[in-house]
Amino acid sequence: MKFTIIALAAMAVVAQAILVEVEDGKIVRRLDDVPMKDYKPKPQTIVKGPGFVKYVEKRSREEIKAFWTKERMAAAIPLTMTVAGPDPNAAATCELDVESHTVDSFYDTPPGVAVGKVFFQQGIFTYVCSGSVSADNFVWTAGHCVYDNVKGRFSENFQFIPGYEDGDYDDGKYVATELFATQGWIDGSIGYDYALASMDGNVQAAVGGYNFQLSVNNEPDSTTYESYGYPAGAPFDGTIDHTCKSGGCGRDHFVSPPTVYIECDSTGGCSGGPWLIANSTAASGYNFGGLNSYNYGGSSRMYSPYLDSDTETFWHSVTGF
């Protein structure tokens, strides 16, 4: 089956769309090419491991932090991935509760303190996504925020700010020393659109020891997900965290491997934000059960990779835990 994905970078004034063709759930070629005459990419240090591909950042911590001025962060383009055409799963119905977090205490306690904004550069463009604390110095985000599998290059100048609230970042700014993408995402499989970043400090310790433990093989129809992130496309502006709480609607068998979807009104910039599952025995009160990956044009649903044994193997291989 063929369809088209729009990796949409939505700005307040100009919307930039990256179109790629997808066949049998995999990205096969780019349909439009953004001119980059002033961009001369430097070689990247790439290391292959069991089920993952790693990029080693050459820039220093100081260089990356200096790169991300307040002006550059404010101008970063919110990135999302949208499949063109009608939602093939439109017949499914799910309940939805939404909340935009305007109370300061949300960002000082879990889950808000362990969710944050991700800033990065791909080519000549700077982008913003969302992410969450996995364990120690590792952060989860979407694969398309870490690796451009059309250009075949990793993101650079990658920065994570936990507990971000309207320009405030009391818990610090962290830069990635290494980025890890799944081999599946490298090969163009949408169902593997998740990634890990190794930061330059123990982010978990900085946010009070809170993190979200990986939870796999959850049945969508018996699971309630809470999607967090920083949508910046209209009607949102990316300054605060926004939550969608929804039961799992089902699996999307039009991509490979099949993903899972919920009702959600979040927009560009929320990519990589976690889908959390309540767990009263966890210190943070939640487990990590998915992330914001893509949607269909005109749909009010959000899709995530289905986390399974492949995800667990990826996590163990990357983190060593």
Side-chain angles (χ1 to χ4, degrees), residues 41-259:
K42 297 179 180 179
Q44 294 184 322
T45 302
I46 307 297
V47 179
K48 288 192 174 183
F52 68 81
V53 179
K54 177 176 73 172
Y55 163 62
V56 180
E57 176 62 77
K58 290 184 177 181
R59 296 168 182 79
S60 70
R61 178 177 185 268
E62 291 72 23
E63 287 176 311
I64 297 175
K65 287 196 171 183
F67 177 84
W68 286 111
T69 62
K70 287 188 176 181
E71 293 76 18
R72 192 167 268 150
M73 285 192 288
I77 305 167
L79 190 64
T80 191
M81 189 159 61
T82 299
V83 179
D87 189 334
N89 307 292
T93 57
C94 306
E95 295 184 0
L96 171 65
D97 291 319
V98 298
E99 182 179 4
S100 292
H101 299 283
T102 58
V103 179
D104 292 346
S105 60
F106 171 83
Y107 302 92
D108 300 323
T109 56
V113 70
V115 179
K117 296 190 79 167
V118 167
F119 297 90
F120 58 97
Q121 184 176 15
Q122 288 183 354
I124 61 173
F125 299 105
T126 54
Y127 296 102
V128 59
C129 281
S130 300
S132 63
V133 178
S134 171
D136 287 7
N137 59 311
F138 290 98
V139 168
W140 283 109
T141 191
H144 65 269
C145 303
V146 161
Y147 182 82
D148 180 348
N149 55 16
V150 176
K151 291 295 187 183
R153 289 182 61 84
F154 277 86
S155 300
E156 297 171 319
N157 288 314
F158 188 99
Q159 177 178 257
F160 175 66
I161 302 179
Y164 181 97
E165 181 192 9
D166 197 13
D168 293 334
Y169 28 89
D170 296 339
D171 297 302
K173 298 187 290 184
Y174 298 85
V175 302
T177 57
E178 298 172 327
L179 298 176
F180 300 84
T182 64
Q183 186 63 55
W185 177 249
I186 296 287
D187 294 338
S189 293
I190 301 168
Y192 291 105
D193 184 29
Y194 50 82
L196 284 163
S198 177
M199 313 310 292
D200 65 338
N202 191 324
V203 188
Q204 182 180 349
V207 298
Y210 298 111
N211 71 317
F212 306 122
Q213 296 179 356
L214 177 64
S215 178
V216 300
N217 297 320
N218 297 290
E219 291 298 328
D221 58 1
S222 60
T223 303
T224 298
Y225 298 95
E226 296 182 27
S227 162
Y228 291 82
Y230 290 82
F236 306 100
D237 62 8
T239 57
I240 58 175
D241 192 299
H242 180 71
T243 302
C244 298
K245 185 176 182 179
S246 168
C249 300
R251 303 288 298 275
D252 183 6
H253 294 276
F254 292 89
V255 300
S256 177
T259 55

